[in-house]
Amino acid sequence: MILQMNKQILTGVVMCLLLATSSCLNTTHEDKLNGTDFPPPLMGWSSWNTYHVNINEELIKKQADALVAQGLKDAGYIYINIDDGFFGYRDGSGKMHAHPERFPNGMKVVSDYIHSLGLKAGIYSDAGDNTCGSIYDNDNNGVGAGLYGHEQQDMDLYLKEWNFDFIKIDYCGAQKLGLDEEERYTAISKAIVNTGRTDVSVNICRWAFPGTWAKNLARSWRISPDIRPNWTSVKRIIEKNLYLSAYAGEGHYNDMDMLEIGRGLAPSEEEVHFGVWCIMSSPLLIGCDLTSIPEASLSLLKNKELIALNQDRLGLQAYVVQRDKDYYVLVKDIEQKHGNVRAVAFCNASDSVHEFHTPLQALELCGKVKVRDLVEGMDLEDITSDTCNYTVPPHGILICRMEAEKRTEADRYEAEWAYLPCFNDLAKKPKQILYAPSSECSGGMKVRYLGGSMENYAEWKEVYSEQGGEYEMTIHYCSPTQRKLEIWVNGKRHESAGLLSGGEDSVATITIPITLKAGYNNIRMGNNFGWAPDIDCFTLKRLSFK
Ligand code: GLA
């Protein structure tokens, strides 16, 4: 009993320490200067995309110089991140040394140089024993170079002795060892906390959304396999991130991987790539050779209005409000929450021209709307009807700042916007809660495998009511067998039993009266025992004022 209590207290203490690190990270001096409420997504350059493991001291210094000379530092790109390839060997005490030929003067000299330019320095390791480079890039020095068994020793070296400010922690070695992601990254985080550095930015690189725990340990986490400099890869990563907006925020971000701008994509594809990374608040790490970057790519990377969208003080990730195949409309609040200004992207990822017709209500805007095209940096015609109509070329995007006369209440909340505390994209369990395509559902998506325990719920944290009052809530669900759904509105429980839609993909509805308070409301759905129905969306109709 006492032992168990001690364990609980200890876990509590460790969690507090980890959270303390991340909250310290929330308020660095630099962030205060920037005037942001949360640390914005990281901006900088990383060596991997162009050079893989073939890096060296001179190359890194040249790229850092070029970052400054090209005006990218002034545009906000302040990290120079050394990826895989710097590993030398461990000496008799287990201490890692830099690659003797590539970094003959060691790594501290390199981080000092980066710092001398007013930049921050990033480094790389693996949660397991062997690095990815040792497996896929014939880098023998990567064997045994990972953090496994050297957590504290390596973190002390990288973050204290070598003084790096960012670390990306890959998973190749850990995957081969069959380790558990949450346990591994938690152990590594403890080692980071022990260094006493509270300003280090941590990136989890597990190539899929790892789970909601990641937010307690890292500033950002990769959500996809490695990016490549081609359209198919960019499009696939965007699709991977479409339904992960609930997990970003408060200074923590879904990482869509390093940028392939300046590496051969068509101009309009570069706009989609950069524009979506910006509206989705992904870290922006340039991946090309900065000494020979094409002019058009450079000016896109320096586009002030798109950068402002990425670095917006609210730190939100856009979510999908309209989707049909490869055409999607993304939206997020900027500048002020639930204000009259929103960022909207009309993305045409298909191979032919597409006409978007999007009701203003889907964007929660009404009245006359001022529109600014952020890629072109010019004002477009005001919207004066209740639909916005735009024609977007194939592999093209229109990203706008919209300022409306009035903000409306949402009348539909999609299941694919919900926060699912038990969700991850690691595909380890067969019936894991997830966002699943479903042809009859609005937006073509639903939440599947909801319920079975109290913890496995779906949550909409910000259901907005301007004045509060009585509403009719209509839940759209799919249920092949009779199932129970529990619904909590600001903690008040409702239950609907015997729900049956007749098939996996056929949609039925149920309507219940609910009371919302003015401002943000919390709505949860689940089933503490058996499966709940799959959820498509819910709609709200206001019946009366409070
Ligand atoms: C993995 C990562 C890449 C890169 C390489 C280095 O593939 O996902 O981003 O860091 O390892 O070997």
Side-chain angles (χ1 to χ4, degrees), residues 370-394:
K370 284 195 215 148
V371 186
R372 183 160 174 85
D373 179 335
L374 300 181
V375 177
E376 298 300 330
M378 67 181 198
D379 293 338
L380 303 181
E381 244 174 64
D382 292 350
I383 301 169
T384 49
S385 71
D386 54 12
T387 308
C388 25
N389 305 308
Y390 293 111
T391 305
V392 179

Side-chain angles (χ1 to χ4, degrees), residues 165-185:
D165 313 294
F166 162 94
I167 184 157
K168 165 175 166 180
I169 304 166
D170 222 326
Y171 209 70
C172 289
Q175 194 176 40
K176 291 266 182 307
L177 292 175
L179 302 178
D180 175 79
E181 284 79 357
E182 184 174 357
E183 281 175 18
R184 265 320 280 153
Y185 283 105

Side-chain angles (χ1 to χ4, degrees), residues 46 48-49 52-53 83-85 124-126 131-137 168 170-172 205-207 222 224-228 257-258:
S46 170
W48 181 254
N49 285 3
H52 278 224
V53 295
D83 206 283
D84 207 348
Y124 168 92
S125 194
D126 194 282
T131 62
C132 296
S134 73
I135 301 169
Y136 302 109
D137 280 76
K168 165 175 166 180
D170 222 326
Y171 209 70
C172 289
C205 182
R206 175 51 184 85
W207 331 292
R222 282 271 299 280
S224 65
D226 290 5
I227 194 167
R228 300 274 181 260
D257 207 356
M258 299 158 289

Side-chain angles (χ1 to χ4, degrees), residues 114-346:
I114 295 169
H115 289 140
S116 76
L117 299 176
L119 300 169
K120 288 179 185 277
I123 200 157
Y124 168 92
S125 194
D126 194 282
D129 50 359
N130 301 338
T131 62
C132 296
S134 73
I135 301 169
Y136 302 109
D137 280 76
N138 300 319
D139 191 14
N140 288 334
N141 291 1
V143 175
L147 297 167
Y148 194 55
H150 296 273
E151 293 80 3
Q152 200 59 57
Q153 190 176 30
D154 286 1
M155 286 306 175
D156 285 344
L157 178 68
Y158 300 162
L159 307 180
K160 279 165 70 180
E161 198 175 321
W162 291 354
N163 202 20
F164 281 89
D165 313 294
F166 162 94
I167 184 157
K168 165 175 166 180
I169 304 166
D170 222 326
Y171 209 70
C172 289
Q175 194 176 40
K176 291 266 182 307
L177 292 175
L179 302 178
D180 175 79
E181 284 79 357
E182 184 174 357
E183 281 175 18
R184 265 320 280 153
Y185 283 105
T186 302
I188 293 165
S189 288
K190 283 181 202 159
I192 298 175
V193 170
N194 289 342
T195 66
R197 288 276 309 258
T198 54
D199 58 344
V200 174
S201 184
V202 177
N203 175 266
I204 289 177
C205 182
R206 175 51 184 85
W207 331 292
F209 179 73
T212 50
W213 50 267
K215 203 167 186 170
N216 297 330
L217 309 181
R219 185 60 62 218
S220 61
W221 45 84
R222 282 271 299 280
I223 51 112
S224 65
D226 290 5
I227 194 167
R228 300 274 181 260
N230 63 58
W231 171 249
T232 313
S233 169
V234 169
K235 180 173 163 178
R236 220 174 268 153
I237 293 176
I238 295 172
E239 279 169 8
K240 272 255 157 215
N241 205 17
L242 287 178
Y243 307 112
L244 299 178
S245 61
Y247 309 100
E250 295 165 354
H252 303 270
Y253 304 99
N254 291 304
D255 175 5
M256 300 172 80
D257 207 356
M258 299 158 289
L259 297 167
E260 293 287 14
I261 314 277
R263 300 208 346 112
L265 289 167
S268 72
E269 294 171 347
E270 291 206 331
E271 286 172 10
V272 175
H273 178 8
F274 192 59
V276 174
W277 265 237
C278 285
I279 200 167
M280 289 199 155
S281 290
S282 172
L284 300 177
L285 285 170
I286 303 170
C288 69
D289 173 2
L290 295 176
T291 63
S292 63
I293 181 169
E295 203 42 55
S297 304
L298 181 62
S299 88
L300 180 64
L301 288 169
K302 289 180 8 185
N303 180 318
K304 283 200 169 72
E305 295 177 64
L306 286 175
I307 291 174
L309 176 62
N310 177 265
Q311 302 281 296
D312 177 72
R313 59 181 290 271
L314 302 180
L316 300 173
Q317 175 173 324
Y319 56 97
V320 183
V321 288
Q322 195 181 34
R323 180 175 184 187
D324 182 16
K325 294 180 218 125
D326 290 337
Y327 325 117
Y328 25 81
V329 180
L330 303 168
V331 69
K332 72 170 181 176
D333 281 355
I334 49 172
E335 299 170 23
Q336 192 201 324
K337 277 188 79 177
H338 210 81
N340 295 0
V341 178
R342 307 199 86 191
V344 188
F346 300 87

